[in-house]
Amino acid sequence: PPALELRGLSKTYGDNKLTALSDVTLSIRPGEIFALLGPNGAGKTTLIGSVCGLVKKTSGKVLVFGHDLDEDPVRPRYQIGLVPQEVNFDPFFTVAESLYIQQGYYGQPRDEARVKEVLAALNLSHKADAITRALSGGMKRRLLIAKALVHKPKLVFLDEPTAGVDVELRRDLWNYVRRLAAEGTTIVLTTHYLEEAEELADRVGVINEGKLLLVEDKRTLLRRL
Ligand code: ADP
Ligand code: ADP
């Protein structure tokens, strides 16, 4: 089955009847890097939230590796990792502790080797015992990524992963995304930088005002622009 399948996904927020997503149909294959490209307010975060369980969809279907989230909203999501835009940590944990807690959220046993591996991959090993509150902004973003990946998700969402990050983190993140995809992890990232979609993605979906306007192979898209 596809890693992710959306069938007619729609979301209308509250009483103002704002349609943030309108009848989005999309299929993403395992191991693919898919970039969702669109301006602010296009509906990118709402789409991710609908899959990850942070937003209640209005209508449509969401299937994760063939599992309909209406039938089982919990277990299919254990395969998902989410790197949100907002940095939001409990301030009293160390970096390593926050990763062990994350493993627990996903029903996994404490795995020290895995935590070490993820910390090393994100150049965070020297911060393992630091209190998360004391980290710099860049280190907090690295931890946010580590938290999203520590349980070895097969489908990873990155919401505007490089907005406001320094050049070094952008490079590390792009390299890591490529490595994950090469290992078979499916990546969905949102961006409003064409450059980032161009750099990373196999396919690009263009979204505006809640509508998925086109989905194309990156090369085809670049030829048209
Ligand atoms: P993007 O991630 O592409 O910037 P969003 O999904 O955040 O877009 O937002 C899509 C639209 O939905 C925007 O018009 C935004 O203002 C609106 N929106 C997002 N979240 C909420 C919410 N919790 N309540 C009401 N409107 C929202
Ligand atoms: P905290 O405030 O400690 O980060 P949260 O409960 O907000 O705790 O989220 C815990 C972590 O789980 C976050 O890092 C987030 O990336 C991830 N997460 C939250 N909801 C989901 C979800 N539905 N699917 C996948 N990951 C999620």
Side-chain angles (χ1 to χ4, degrees), residues 84-214:
Q85 275 182 50
E86 302 284 316
V87 176
N88 172 28
F89 296 122
D90 184 304
F92 300 111
F93 298 128
T94 67
V95 167
E97 280 165 350
S98 75
L99 294 177
Y100 293 129
I101 290 164
Q102 196 73 10
Q103 289 175 332
Y105 279 152
Y106 286 91
Q108 295 186 351
R110 183 184 170 95
D111 181 345
E112 293 185 18
R114 174 62 183 164
V115 165
K116 284 206 170 107
E117 185 180 297
V118 169
L119 288 175
L122 289 155
N123 284 319
L124 269 173
S125 302
H126 61 299
K127 295 289 181 191
D129 298 321
I131 300 293
T132 56
R133 170 168 33 188
L135 297 175
S136 67
M139 289 293 156
K140 280 184 178 140
R141 287 211 70 100
R142 286 173 188 271
L143 176 55
L144 201 63
I145 298 159
K147 283 176 72 178
L149 298 174
V150 71
H151 62 295
K152 297 190 184 175
K154 289 203 267 175
L155 172 59
V156 174
F157 292 91
L158 300 117
D159 197 1
E160 301 272 355
T162 60
V165 312
D166 59 37
V167 178
E168 200 185 343
L169 176 51
R170 176 175 304 187
R171 190 200 55 214
D172 284 359
L173 185 61
W174 284 1
N175 286 337
Y176 198 42
V177 162
R178 288 194 193 95
R179 199 171 101 201
L180 286 170
E183 290 165 359
T185 307
T186 310
I187 310 279
V188 179
L189 64 99
T190 72
T191 185
H192 52 263
Y193 302 118
L194 178 62
E195 181 205 347
E196 186 160 64
E198 199 179 320
E199 183 72 32
L200 284 178
D202 301 311
R203 278 195 308 157
V204 179
V206 177
I207 187 169
N208 194 25
E209 295 182 349
K211 293 193 182 71
L212 190 59
L213 300 178
L214 63 102

Side-chain angles (χ1 to χ4, degrees), residues 19-83:
T19 302
L21 281 181
S22 179
D23 198 22
V24 172
T25 293
L26 173 66
S27 180
I28 297 176
R29 60 180 178 271
E32 182 173 18
I33 304 181
F34 187 91
L36 197 58
L37 181 69
N40 281 328
K44 303 184 295 296
T45 302
T46 300
L47 188 152
I48 289 182
S50 304
V51 179
C52 294
L54 311 173
V55 169
K56 194 174 183 298
K57 67 182 160 64
T58 306
S59 59
K61 285 271 175 210
V62 181
L63 292 91
V64 173
F65 294 105
H67 299 284
D68 184 340
L69 294 183
D70 287 336
E71 281 161 26
D72 183 353
V74 178
R75 267 183 311 167
R77 287 188 169 120
Y78 281 10
Q79 315 254 46
I80 294 177
L82 169 64
V83 182

